[in-house]
Amino acid sequence: MRKPLIAGNWKMYQTTPDAVALVKGLKGLLGQREGVEVVVCPPFTALPVVAEALKDSWIGLGAQNMHWEKEGAYTGEVSPVMLADCGCRYVILGHSERRQYFGETDMNVNRKLRAALEHKLIPILCIGETLAEREGGRTIQVVDGQLQGGLSGIPAGAGAGIAVAYEPIWAIGTGRTATPEQAAEVHTFIRKRLAELWGEAMATAVRIVYGGSVKPDNIDALMAEPEIDGALVGGASLKADAFARIVQFEKV
Ligand code: PGA
């Protein structure tokens, strides 16, 4: 059985006082919930204060990006060692905003993914198509390219320590969610490809989460799909009550 994973991607929001208030609110609302893994991914500047606020909590901490080297002359970058030092256990890699605005390529995402595993971080590999690609019937082809590019050379044994986030770009921040059926179709393909890469048993262990306008009012229907193992939540993760409701999804 795969344990559902709900991760909040705070993007470039929240100063340190706001971040602490948000996570404290969340802790109060969430209490304890068995059978789900919850992660918040604040901006780098808020990682230490959020780590402190999450001490003794079951909520995990993640970052939104990292460099692949452990240190070096890379102005403006943050290394996997530094993330671990801040208390991170997870890292989002290859988010479409990084691909779109910062020129991130599958090759660099792959380097980062290898580095994350080396430093015992759980990578959340983001893949997804644009609207033009979907309308052109190229969704599977695009997702496949990003999946195989991102996972190139990763041995089967590492599979269970990786989560994949399917995030159609046209659904991110737009209020336009993929239907549960549309998401499940792509998730099914991803798992089939993972089985070809790593074998059936390992593919079955990998969490494939959905991202793109996940909200309290659509999470239950998404989670009803057996192939959807959780969510990567942007906008709604910035409101404690909305994110808490998403974590408390019900299988309908
Ligand atoms: P959204 O963002 O929930 O605001 O659509 C999701 C994401 O970018 O990870």
Side-chain angles (χ1 to χ4, degrees), residues 39-59:
V39 183
V40 291
C41 303
F44 292 131
T45 47
L47 287 173
V49 291
V50 172
E52 180 63 30
L54 287 178
K55 243 193 211 151
D56 308 319
S57 157
W58 61 288
I59 303 169

Side-chain angles (χ1 to χ4, degrees), residues 88-100:
C88 289
R89 277 205 57 221
Y90 303 79
V91 60
I92 298 171
L93 295 177
H95 191 280
S96 62
E97 287 153 13
R98 297 223 46 92
R99 295 178 191 260
Q100 186 181 349

